Structure formats: C-alpha cells, structure tokens
Amino acid sequence: MRRAPIVLVATVIGTTGVLMFKPREVIPSVASSSSSTASQGATASKSGSTTTTATGAAVSTQFGNTQVRVTIRGGEITGIEPLQIPSNEPQSVQISNGAVPTLRESALSKQSAAIDSVSGATITSKSYAASLQSALDKAGFTAADGSTAPTTAPTESEEHGHGGGFGHGGPFEG
C-alpha cells in the first residue's frame, strides 16, 4: 500500500514528460536564409549584359516556407537557388528535396515561373512557383510567352496535403 502513491506520482511525471516531448527540428539540406539578407541588384558583366539577382517572397504553407533567389543574365533566367523549402516535418523535407531539382530544371527550360507541379509535391511546387514569380516580378523579368504563376500560397484544403491520395489533387492528376 505504501508504494501505490509513489507509483502513481511516477506515472503522472512520466506521462507528463512524454506528452511534453518535442522532437528536434529537422534541418533541410538546402541552405536557409532570412529575407532580411535578400539581395536584389544589377551588375554589368564584361560582355555588356546585365546580371540581376532578386529574392522572391517567402511563401508560407502548412508544411513550411518556400523562398527562392533568381539570377537573370542577358534577359534569360540563368540560376535559381532555393533559400527555404518546406521543412516542418521529415516527410516535407524528403518531398521538397526530391521536387526542387525538377522544379528548377522546369523553370530554367521554360524561362518562366509557370511550371508544372511535381507529382506528389503539389504544395511545394505551387509555393516554389509563387516565390519564383515574386522574384521575377522584382527583377522586372517577363517570360517570352507572357506566362506567369500565381503568387499566393496554396492551402491544404485546396490541394489535399502534399498531393497524396486519390481524387482531386492526387498524384495521378496533371
């Protein structure tokens, strides 16, 4: 009978400890940067063409922020650097790390932020495109075909999470 109160107190303390446990934050594999260090400007190169670098808005989603920096040289998009990618959970990091190279290549080949979503990474794709469009707007760049991407953040209710599941927004829809 004397052990019952001790066991009860130990159980309450242990349960409280488990409920208050917070896993350590997962750091994404791309470099993060705050928007206060964002650079935007133009410099002349030896060939006479200008190079403009602009940082897009940090687009906030339920999975984390997405932000990119674009480099435009001679009227063409020559580089896109991810500054932030969704990283609120390990699955977000995995999805984003898989999608970002594909999104970058698509934007470079299309010379526009109006890029196709990566299957299974709909929110990452749309937030990447929104930040890229923001950067292109800051740099005064217009795609040759006049295409643009929305600059608003996608929501989970619109996209059903990262794009998983069946039906609207699922991995089998284009």
Side-chain angles (χ1 to χ4, degrees):
M1 262 318 183
R2 290 184 187 173
R3 287 189 264 173
I6 295 172
V7 171
L8 182 61
V9 170
T11 302
V12 169
I13 291 172
T15 303
T16 303
V18 168
L19 293 175
M20 294 183 69
F21 176 75
K22 302 236 187 229
R24 68 181 179 90
E25 184 176 337
V26 177
I27 299 171
S29 65
V30 296
S32 293
S33 172
S34 68
S35 58
S36 64
T37 61
S39 64
Q40 179 179 351
T43 58
S45 67
K46 293 179 184 176
S47 66
S49 63
T50 59
T51 298
T52 303
T53 303
T55 301
V59 179
S60 180
T61 71
Q62 64 272 22
F63 302 110
N65 292 337
T66 304
Q67 185 176 33
V68 300
R69 179 181 297 137
V70 67
T71 302
I72 301 167
R73 184 174 295 124
E76 290 187 5
I77 302 171
T78 58
I80 304 168
E81 176 187 359
L83 303 177
Q84 297 181 61
I85 61 170
S87 60
N88 284 357
E89 56 193 44
Q91 182 182 11
S92 297
V93 174
Q94 182 180 9
I95 289 169
S96 297
N97 283 337
V100 166
T102 303
L103 296 169
R104 179 183 179 279
E105 289 306 314
S106 178
L108 289 173
S109 69
K110 289 186 175 191
Q111 291 293 299
S112 171
I115 54 180
D116 296 327
S117 292
V118 173
S119 179
T122 305
I123 289 182
T124 297
S125 299
K126 291 191 178 198
S127 60
Y128 184 96
S131 182
L132 178 57
Q133 185 63 55
S134 170
L136 294 174
D137 291 346
K138 287 180 183 178
F141 180 86
T142 303
D145 64 0
S147 62
T148 60
T151 55
T152 58
T155 63
E156 185 175 18
S157 62
E158 293 172 358
E159 303 302 336
H160 303 285
H162 280 289
F166 295 97
H168 177 71
F172 302 110
E173 290 193 14

mmCIF file of all heavy atoms in Angstrom, residues 159-160 163-173:
data_model
loop_
_atom_site.group_PDB
_atom_site.id
_atom_site.type_symbol
_atom_site.label_atom_id
_atom_site.label_comp_id
_atom_site.label_asym_id
_atom_site.label_seq_id
_atom_site.Cartn_x
_atom_site.Cartn_y
_atom_site.Cartn_z
ATOM 1 N N GLU A 159 -5.435 21.539 -51.933
ATOM 2 C CA GLU A 159 -4.552 20.567 -52.562
ATOM 3 C C GLU A 159 -4.518 19.202 -51.882
ATOM 4 O O GLU A 159 -3.811 18.320 -52.322
ATOM 5 C CB GLU A 159 -3.128 21.127 -52.598
ATOM 6 C CG GLU A 159 -3.022 22.449 -53.305
ATOM 7 C CD GLU A 159 -3.497 22.411 -54.742
ATOM 8 O OE1 GLU A 159 -3.491 21.319 -55.345
ATOM 9 O OE2 GLU A 159 -3.902 23.449 -55.261
ATOM 10 N N HIS A 160 -5.223 19.018 -50.790
ATOM 11 C CA HIS A 160 -5.250 17.748 -50.068
ATOM 12 C C HIS A 160 -3.851 17.304 -49.663
ATOM 13 O O HIS A 160 -3.388 16.235 -50.049
ATOM 14 C CB HIS A 160 -5.943 16.661 -50.886
ATOM 15 C CG HIS A 160 -7.332 17.024 -51.277
ATOM 16 N ND1 HIS A 160 -8.362 17.010 -50.384
ATOM 17 C CD2 HIS A 160 -7.849 17.451 -52.447
ATOM 18 C CE1 HIS A 160 -9.470 17.392 -50.993
ATOM 19 N NE2 HIS A 160 -9.173 17.669 -52.241
ATOM 20 N N GLY A 163 -0.148 16.288 -51.928
ATOM 21 C CA GLY A 163 -0.548 15.787 -53.234
ATOM 22 C C GLY A 163 -0.840 14.308 -53.212
ATOM 23 O O GLY A 163 -1.059 13.712 -54.236
ATOM 24 N N GLY A 164 -0.838 13.707 -52.064
ATOM 25 C CA GLY A 164 -1.082 12.266 -51.964
ATOM 26 C C GLY A 164 -2.560 11.954 -51.987
ATOM 27 O O GLY A 164 -3.403 12.824 -51.901
ATOM 28 N N GLY A 165 -2.869 10.710 -52.113
ATOM 29 C CA GLY A 165 -4.262 10.285 -52.088
ATOM 30 C C GLY A 165 -4.834 10.197 -53.479
ATOM 31 O O GLY A 165 -4.154 10.377 -54.473
ATOM 32 N N PHE A 166 -6.115 9.933 -53.556
ATOM 33 C CA PHE A 166 -6.776 9.786 -54.835
ATOM 34 C C PHE A 166 -7.787 10.898 -55.008
ATOM 35 O O PHE A 166 -8.179 11.537 -54.067
ATOM 36 C CB PHE A 166 -7.472 8.424 -54.924
ATOM 37 C CG PHE A 166 -6.503 7.293 -54.892
ATOM 38 C CD1 PHE A 166 -6.229 6.626 -53.700
ATOM 39 C CD2 PHE A 166 -5.829 6.921 -56.041
ATOM 40 C CE1 PHE A 166 -5.320 5.593 -53.678
ATOM 41 C CE2 PHE A 166 -4.910 5.887 -56.009
ATOM 42 C CZ PHE A 166 -4.659 5.228 -54.826
ATOM 43 N N GLY A 167 -8.209 11.128 -56.218
ATOM 44 C CA GLY A 167 -9.190 12.166 -56.485
ATOM 45 C C GLY A 167 -8.489 13.477 -56.754
ATOM 46 O O GLY A 167 -7.333 13.528 -57.135
ATOM 47 N N HIS A 168 -9.197 14.569 -56.564
ATOM 48 C CA HIS A 168 -8.690 15.900 -56.871
ATOM 49 C C HIS A 168 -7.375 16.164 -56.130
ATOM 50 O O HIS A 168 -7.300 16.020 -54.925
ATOM 51 C CB HIS A 168 -9.726 16.966 -56.487
ATOM 52 C CG HIS A 168 -9.238 18.363 -56.711
ATOM 53 N ND1 HIS A 168 -9.066 18.875 -57.986
ATOM 54 C CD2 HIS A 168 -8.847 19.318 -55.854
ATOM 55 C CE1 HIS A 168 -8.617 20.097 -57.882
ATOM 56 N NE2 HIS A 168 -8.475 20.389 -56.592
ATOM 57 N N GLY A 169 -6.360 16.600 -56.841
ATOM 58 C CA GLY A 169 -5.082 16.941 -56.225
ATOM 59 C C GLY A 169 -4.188 15.749 -55.990
ATOM 60 O O GLY A 169 -3.120 15.895 -55.428
ATOM 61 N N GLY A 170 -4.608 14.555 -56.358
ATOM 62 C CA GLY A 170 -3.830 13.353 -56.097
ATOM 63 C C GLY A 170 -2.661 13.201 -57.049
ATOM 64 O O GLY A 170 -2.484 13.988 -57.971
ATOM 65 N N PRO A 171 -1.853 12.195 -56.845
ATOM 66 C CA PRO A 171 -0.639 12.030 -57.636
ATOM 67 C C PRO A 171 -0.896 11.617 -59.079
ATOM 68 O O PRO A 171 0.005 11.657 -59.895
ATOM 69 C CB PRO A 171 0.126 10.939 -56.895
ATOM 70 C CG PRO A 171 -0.931 10.141 -56.203
ATOM 71 C CD PRO A 171 -2.007 11.136 -55.853
ATOM 72 N N PHE A 172 -2.124 11.242 -59.412
ATOM 73 C CA PHE A 172 -2.404 10.767 -60.750
ATOM 74 C C PHE A 172 -3.083 11.806 -61.611
ATOM 75 O O PHE A 172 -3.517 11.527 -62.702
ATOM 76 C CB PHE A 172 -3.254 9.489 -60.690
ATOM 77 C CG PHE A 172 -2.570 8.422 -59.902
ATOM 78 C CD1 PHE A 172 -3.055 8.041 -58.664
ATOM 79 C CD2 PHE A 172 -1.408 7.823 -60.376
ATOM 80 C CE1 PHE A 172 -2.400 7.077 -57.925
ATOM 81 C CE2 PHE A 172 -0.767 6.869 -59.650
ATOM 82 C CZ PHE A 172 -1.248 6.483 -58.417
ATOM 83 N N GLU A 173 -3.190 13.026 -61.089
ATOM 84 C CA GLU A 173 -3.786 14.096 -61.875
ATOM 85 C C GLU A 173 -2.685 15.036 -62.336
ATOM 86 O O GLU A 173 -1.709 15.245 -61.653
ATOM 87 C CB GLU A 173 -4.803 14.877 -61.026
ATOM 88 C CG GLU A 173 -6.032 14.045 -60.752
ATOM 89 C CD GLU A 173 -7.163 14.858 -60.204
ATOM 90 O OE1 GLU A 173 -7.097 16.081 -60.271
ATOM 91 O OE2 GLU A 173 -8.097 14.258 -59.697
#
